[in-house]
Amino acid sequence: MDLLTPAQRAHLGALESTFPGWRIVVHQGVWHATRHRAVTPEQRCNGLHRQLARPDPVALFHALCGQLAILVRMGDA
């Protein structure tokens, strides 16, 4: 993991506590999230991804909210 600023560490902690089903890391300035559980074919067809990458923590937060919304719509949350 890259050396993080205090603000980035705070963002990382907030993301980890908000989305415990995902492993979140920052590598070379890019924020990555990998789902702990495998994605089923049905989930994939509905737009769920196993991995996400975004340029900053806010963009990753919004992407993860979208993933959570998919799970809620499917009744898998």
Side-chain angles (χ1 to χ4, degrees), residues 30-43:
V30 178
W31 291 71
H32 298 269
T34 303
R35 194 167 189 269
H36 292 299
R37 292 185 179 176
V39 176
T40 67
E42 181 185 8
Q43 290 170 331

Side-chain angles (χ1 to χ4, degrees), residues 6-49:
Q8 288 171 322
R9 273 196 232 71
H11 284 294
L12 181 61
L15 287 168
E16 289 172 332
S17 65
T18 304
F19 302 98
W22 296 78
R23 178 175 181 262
I24 300 167
V25 299
V26 183
H27 182 67
Q28 296 182 343
V30 178
W31 291 71
H32 298 269
T34 303
R35 194 167 189 269
H36 292 299
R37 292 185 179 176
V39 176
T40 67
E42 181 185 8
Q43 290 170 331
R44 190 173 298 109
C45 286
N46 280 281
L48 194 69
H49 297 281

Side-chain angles (χ1 to χ4, degrees), residues 44-58:
R44 190 173 298 109
C45 286
N46 280 281
L48 194 69
H49 297 281
R50 176 80 198 270
Q51 296 181 321
L52 301 169
R54 296 295 184 273
D56 58 65
V58 175

